[in-house]
Amino acid sequence: MNENVVIAGGGIGGLACALALARAGVSVDVLEQASAFGEVGAGLQLGPNAVRVLDDWGLTDDLKACAAFPVALWVRDAHGGERLGQLRLGARAQTRYGQPYATLHRADLHSLLLRAVQQEPGVSLNLQTRVAAYEQTPEGVQVTTEDGAVVPGQALIGCDGLWSRVRVQMLGAHPVRASGHLAYRGMVHRDQVPAAQRENVVTAWLGTRLHVVHYPVRAGEWFNVVAVVHGVLGQGHGGPVGSDPQSWSHEAQAADLKTALGPACSDLMAMIDAVTDWKLWSLNDRTPMTGPHEHAQGRVALLGDAAHPLRPYLAQGAAMALEDAWTLGRLSDAAPVADWPALLSTYAQTRWRRNARVQSRSQRNGTIFHASGLLRWGRNSAMALLGESLMDNAWLYEGPPDPLGN
């Protein structure tokens, strides 16, 4: 297609979208507000559904060069230390789903997508360019940037994250939802990890009003550690009350985290002590999607966190952005003459229910992970009784659904 599409945002979702569309023959203008392409944050997990997307794009070797491929997910009690459940990954995931389960640093995923995009001649990458507004016409869209430039296109894809400006114009200025949870994130080199925690596994520690997850990244040379607790920035956690919730990083003290964790077991505390530099995030999201109109209207669509920000309790935030992008690429590739309103409508119809389900399941998992009392007892009993069948997510890992029905 000799078409031009404007993409707002050059993060993981925006680059994935650019790659998928460029591979389908669409010319793309990526508008990124930062002065350089890059990702902040720490690790992320990619289930077989997301790895399948990268494999379809020919990026398996790049993924293998930077990711770890855990052999299992272990669930342990944060206070007593006992094993509550296990889900085999590794060879089992490969056999069951045709793709492995991967863990990697956010920056590494972003870098491999950027390298792939830079090899596509139809992609124009623009830094220090932030979308201010857009106007739809019967023939296309006119995107105005903060510096007053106008970028024309046949369609606009908002990949500009939780605080998306494209979303605000499309759906109205609705505030994000504060989860009441804070995430402490840190990285530790494998040599500094306690020997008992160096296994090639994802370990999830569940406690009352908290959980901690750690797993290998950077081909196993580092471990990503995330501790989620209940609280508010400035009230015993990090900076002053009123700290900007849009700021990605907040300096934090290990003492605040240890106070929030309470009487955790020695294995968990040894892992916490191994981290020498913590960052603190306030977790925000939006209510689950209610219909396709929240994904696309006319020639404008939303992708990833701009459409369906997720709490991190199903480890699918990056995966859903990759799935969104792959779906757009499939639809574009199958349309030699693009009717963008129709194409984006199909995209929205294909994606919104799955994304809403992942949003709802992620929120529910947070309640289950942090349970106390009878709910905690029921959770532990169910994991002991049902084992892997409770922890596996075939409906998720067998995806993404093919919009073409193949």
Side-chain angles (χ1 to χ4, degrees):
M1 289 184 291
N2 186 21
E3 303 277 352
N4 182 69
V5 169
V6 181
I7 295 175
I12 288 171
L15 293 183
C17 183
L19 180 62
L21 292 179
R23 294 278 180 88
V26 180
S27 296
V28 176
D29 281 315
V30 178
L31 312 182
E32 166 56 41
Q33 65 176 327
S35 58
F37 285 102
E39 267 288 334
V40 294
L44 53 80
Q45 303 177 55
L46 295 180
N49 53 312
V51 176
R52 183 171 296 110
V53 169
L54 297 177
D55 182 64
D56 190 60
W57 290 339
L59 299 176
T60 296
D61 289 343
D62 299 85
L63 180 66
K64 288 180 178 178
C66 64
F69 297 90
V71 298
L73 164 63
W74 291 351
V75 181
R76 298 181 63 179
D77 184 272
H79 307 296
E82 63 270 21
R83 182 90 61 86
L84 302 175
Q86 171 179 293
L87 173 64
R88 289 171 294 159
L89 301 172
R92 178 183 182 273
Q94 182 73 52
T95 300
R96 183 172 174 83
Y97 299 113
Q99 297 291 343
Y101 194 103
T103 54
L104 68 164
H105 198 284
R106 294 186 66 89
D108 291 339
L109 176 59
H110 187 272
S111 293
L112 72 86
L113 289 170
L114 180 60
R115 289 194 300 271
V117 166
Q118 288 171 332
Q119 296 173 16
E120 297 294 333
V123 178
S124 173
L125 299 173
N126 304 275
L127 294 169
Q128 295 181 297
T129 308
R130 188 177 190 188
V131 171
Y134 66 83
E135 180 183 357
Q136 292 200 61
T137 70
E139 294 76 29
V141 293
Q142 299 285 329
V143 179
T144 303
T145 66
E146 279 191 337
D147 62 5
V150 175
V151 183
Q154 294 298 306
L156 168 64
I157 315 298
C159 305
D160 45 346
L162 176 66
W163 310 95
S164 168
R165 289 189 170 185
V166 178
R167 179 191 178 98
V168 168
Q169 183 169 343
M170 191 173 102
L171 298 176
H174 305 291
V176 299
R177 180 174 63 171
S179 68
H181 297 175
L182 301 172
Y184 288 81
R185 304 177 192 262
M187 295 276 290
V188 56
H189 194 274
R190 187 179 186 277
D191 292 345
Q192 304 302 315
V193 173
Q197 308 302 325
R198 291 180 190 171
E199 298 280 356
N200 182 27
V201 300
V202 179
T203 304
W205 304 83
L206 308 186
T208 301
R209 294 169 59 85
L210 65 93
H211 79 281
V212 180
V213 179
H214 54 77
Y215 49 81
V217 296
R218 300 209 146 148
E221 290 299 309
W222 289 79
F223 274 72
N224 179 60
V225 186
V226 182
V228 179
V229 300
H230 292 209
V232 177
L233 283 175
Q235 297 181 4
H237 301 275
V241 175
S243 295
D244 181 6
Q246 296 192 47
S247 178
W248 183 250
S249 296
H250 296 267
E251 295 298 333
Q253 298 296 324
D256 294 340
L257 174 56
K258 290 181 179 180
T259 299
L261 291 178
C265 70
S266 58
D267 280 353
L268 174 54
M269 291 311 300
M271 193 68 175
I272 297 297
D273 286 337
V275 179
T276 58
D277 182 29
W278 291 101
K279 303 294 184 182
L280 180 60
W281 282 263
S282 179
L283 299 181
N284 301 289
D285 67 352
R286 296 186 184 275
T287 55
M289 304 185 81
T290 60
H293 66 286
E294 295 183 20
H295 240 320
Q297 295 183 20
R299 294 176 177 270
V300 180
L302 302 175
L303 183 150
D305 282 354
H308 44 77
L310 295 168
R311 298 185 187 184
Y313 311 139
L314 195 57
Q316 284 288 314
M320 289 301 103
L322 293 175
E323 285 195 10
D324 285 351
W326 179 84
T327 301
L328 277 175
R330 289 282 288 164
L331 291 169
S332 301
D333 197 39
V337 179
D339 177 347
W340 283 102
L343 188 154
L344 295 180
S345 176
T346 302
Y347 158 76
Q349 292 286 352
T350 302
R351 294 298 304 160
W352 83 267
R353 288 184 180 85
R354 180 171 172 87
N355 285 323
R357 184 178 183 184
V358 172
Q359 285 179 292
S360 297
R361 186 65 65 89
S362 299
Q363 181 179 338
R364 188 190 75 171
N365 277 4
T367 300
I368 295 171
F369 287 0
H370 296 189
S372 59
L374 286 176
L375 181 58
R376 174 179 177 273
W377 177 86
R379 176 199 69 199
N380 294 355
S381 299
M383 279 196 287
L385 180 64
L386 300 175
E388 289 186 332
S389 64
L390 181 68
M391 300 171 63
D392 207 353
N393 292 293
W395 65 271
L396 182 59
Y397 297 149
E398 289 172 351
D402 191 334
L404 305 179
N406 298 329

